[in-house]
Amino acid sequence: MSTAATRTPGPDHLWTVDEHLEDILATVRPLEPIELHLLDAQGCVLVEDITVPVSLPPFDNSSMDGYAVRVTDVAGASEEYPAVLTVVGDVAAGQAGTLHVGPGETARIMTGAPLPPGAEAVVPVEWTDGGLGDGPVTGMRARSEDPEAAGGHVHVYRSAEARAHVRALGSDVKAGDRALDAGTILGPPQIALLAAIGRGTVRVHPRPRVVVMSTGSELVQPDEQLSAGQIYDSNSFALTAAARDAGAIAYRVGAVADDAETLRDTIEDQLVRADLLVTTGGVSVGAYDVVKEALSSVGDEDEDGAGIDFRRLAMQPGKPQGFGTIGPDHIPLLALPGNPVSSYVSFELFVRPAIRTLMGLDDVHRPRTRATLTTDKALTSPKGRRQFLRGTYADGAVTPVGGAGSHLVAALALADALIVVPEDVESVEPGTEVDVVLLG
């Protein structure tokens, strides 16, 4: 991955959202491709086109349990005047049989079994007496219960057109067809197709490993007892879940106390399993903002662009941010604010695109749309800041939820969209059309 980031502005520069994102995406590169077994490749992105080596199905086969017949032998068949055929044997799935269906003959055939030579169609067993002579049946007897059923005669009560209930060779995909394109994310259906055409391994960009850690001596793990001045650590859970939702393999580290040396040691320990590091908290201007204290001086003097740069962004929430690379392998690190809404909004805007870039995807952003603002009163926004408000979106309309406070976790839990108010807009009236980032 590149370490030559585009960071050139001075310490007093107020970065725009777009500048910060551009800097991140100029540094992060897709992970090197590797060969993985199919189940290990779930969620990964293909780096090669996949061509079908063998047609699917690889032979004509039955889509029903029934009888393989010649069309002329069952023409005009009815319950009053059934066609009576001689059963010459069974054709089971996976069986490479030698049966041949001649005039006046039929073979019992199971779903997925190859259509025997001479046969032109399959009549479902429900259209026959199953060889029992007592009118239409609802199914076949198990061979173990009735070994003689593969012989004798069967009455067929309906006619069949040529190729009826036959899955034709290559009717799914043909040898030489393109099965999957490079850039495809491998989900269960794609893995099923790869297995069906005989591919046991594929070459992919691996899912990135993302390590998430919260900072703050006030943080307590859920299920533990709170003491005065303490709060539960929700950010590391939220961001780890968000990283997994984005497609990463995510590891959550317990909250790190406000001690710079402890934080540096923890980060160093985590580098061995990280393609991307995400911290939350400690990036502002307070006396105990430990991430900024611990990482501001970290870097490689021989590597241009290496190190962590802490900056102010023209956005709300999420003004304080940090970004850079760390360690001998120059692992990207994004330092997010500590307020829950600030950290989550920052993740969606900056970390998620970085994860998707590491995965090798071209489209790394959440979908956006335009929607009509539904609210009782005008929304206000600070001048010169791009504001991201939580909202719910449905049927072309978006409604704000909660206030502008960056601590409102309950409102965040109700939101499925972010309402975007541009930097040059200070008030948005009800009924105005606005940009919306869709989170669901």
Side-chain angles (χ1 to χ4, degrees), residues 77-214:
S78 66
E79 290 199 31
E80 187 176 0
Y81 300 105
V84 181
L85 305 177
T86 301
V87 180
V88 294
D90 276 356
V91 186
Q95 175 182 320
T98 57
L99 288 179
H100 182 278
V101 175
E105 294 178 339
T106 185
R108 287 206 315 175
I109 191 167
M110 315 308 151
T111 302
L115 190 70
E120 302 167 314
V122 173
V123 292
V125 66
E126 294 86 354
W127 296 4
T128 76
D129 67 352
L132 302 176
D134 295 323
V137 295
T138 57
M140 288 183 181
R141 288 187 180 183
R143 182 176 178 85
S144 59
E145 295 179 0
D146 188 6
E148 303 300 323
H153 295 84
V154 64
H155 290 68
V156 179
Y157 301 117
R158 292 176 61 176
S159 61
E161 297 180 354
R163 313 298 292 175
H165 305 111
V166 174
R167 302 168 179 152
L169 181 153
S171 56
D172 191 352
V173 289
K174 294 180 174 61
D177 285 351
R178 179 78 57 80
L180 296 170
D181 294 325
T184 299
I185 300 177
L186 298 181
Q190 292 76 32
I191 288 175
L193 175 56
L194 289 166
I197 63 175
R199 286 293 295 260
T201 63
V202 282
R203 192 163 175 78
V204 296
H205 293 292
R207 294 167 62 198
R209 301 164 301 164
V210 177
V211 174
V212 177
M213 63 181 73
S214 291

Side-chain angles (χ1 to χ4, degrees), residues 245 344-345 347-349 352 365-369 388-393 401 411-419 436-440:
D245 180 70
Y344 183 73
V345 170
F347 181 96
E348 287 293 340
L349 297 179
R352 184 182 175 91
H365 303 288
R366 288 285 198 183
R368 293 190 174 223
T369 190
F388 297 89
L389 297 167
R390 282 77 66 209
T392 57
Y393 172 82
V401 291
L412 181 62
L414 299 175
D416 60 11
L418 296 176
I419 303 167
V436 174
V437 179
L438 302 177
L439 301 179

Side-chain angles (χ1 to χ4, degrees), residues 246-264:
I249 299 169
Y251 305 104
R252 177 189 159 272
V253 179
V256 181
D258 288 323
D259 179 77
E261 185 176 352
T262 300
L263 178 61
R264 279 193 293 264

Side-chain angles (χ1 to χ4, degrees), residues 314-364:
M315 66 180 284
Q316 186 184 59
K319 181 179 179 181
Q321 301 281 339
F323 171 65
T325 62
I326 191 168
D329 295 324
H330 306 291
I331 302 301
L333 183 148
L334 282 91
L336 310 184
N339 281 318
V341 176
S342 300
S343 69
Y344 183 73
V345 170
S346 299
F347 181 96
E348 287 293 340
L349 297 179
F350 308 124
V351 183
R352 184 182 175 91
I355 290 173
R356 308 288 279 180
T357 299
L358 288 167
M359 292 176 65
L361 291 167
D362 293 326
D363 185 5
V364 300

Side-chain angles (χ1 to χ4, degrees), residues 214-404:
S214 291
T215 63
S217 298
E218 77 280 11
L219 299 178
V220 175
Q221 299 308 300
D223 289 333
E224 294 182 4
Q225 186 67 39
L226 287 178
S227 298
Q230 294 183 323
I231 60 173
Y232 288 118
D233 172 20
S234 63
N235 284 3
S236 65
F237 287 92
L239 301 186
T240 303
R244 291 175 180 174
D245 180 70
I249 299 169
Y251 305 104
R252 177 189 159 272
V253 179
V256 181
D258 288 323
D259 179 77
E261 185 176 352
T262 300
L263 178 61
R264 279 193 293 264
D265 289 344
T266 302
I267 289 176
E268 184 175 345
D269 289 343
Q270 295 298 321
L271 287 175
V272 68
R273 64 170 181 174
D275 298 307
L276 177 67
L277 282 162
V278 180
T279 67
T280 171
V283 295
S284 192
V285 294
Y288 293 89
D289 285 328
V290 65
V291 175
K292 196 169 183 179
E293 177 188 352
L295 300 182
S296 289
S297 60
V298 171
D300 185 344
E301 61 184 13
D302 298 323
E303 189 73 50
D304 181 40
I308 308 302
D309 180 38
F310 292 90
R311 55 188 63 158
R312 298 175 303 124
L313 268 62
M315 66 180 284
Q316 186 184 59
K319 181 179 179 181
Q321 301 281 339
F323 171 65
T325 62
I326 191 168
D329 295 324
H330 306 291
I331 302 301
L333 183 148
L334 282 91
L336 310 184
N339 281 318
V341 176
S342 300
S343 69
Y344 183 73
V345 170
S346 299
F347 181 96
E348 287 293 340
L349 297 179
F350 308 124
V351 183
R352 184 182 175 91
I355 290 173
R356 308 288 279 180
T357 299
L358 288 167
M359 292 176 65
L361 291 167
D362 293 326
D363 185 5
V364 300
H365 303 288
R366 288 285 198 183
R368 293 190 174 223
T369 190
R370 298 280 287 175
T372 301
L373 180 64
T374 304
T375 181
D376 295 334
K377 59 181 180 179
L379 300 181
T380 58
S381 186
K383 184 178 181 180
R385 303 265 195 99
R386 188 180 303 181
Q387 190 173 39
F388 297 89
L389 297 167
R390 282 77 66 209
T392 57
Y393 172 82
D395 301 324
V398 65
T399 304
V401 291

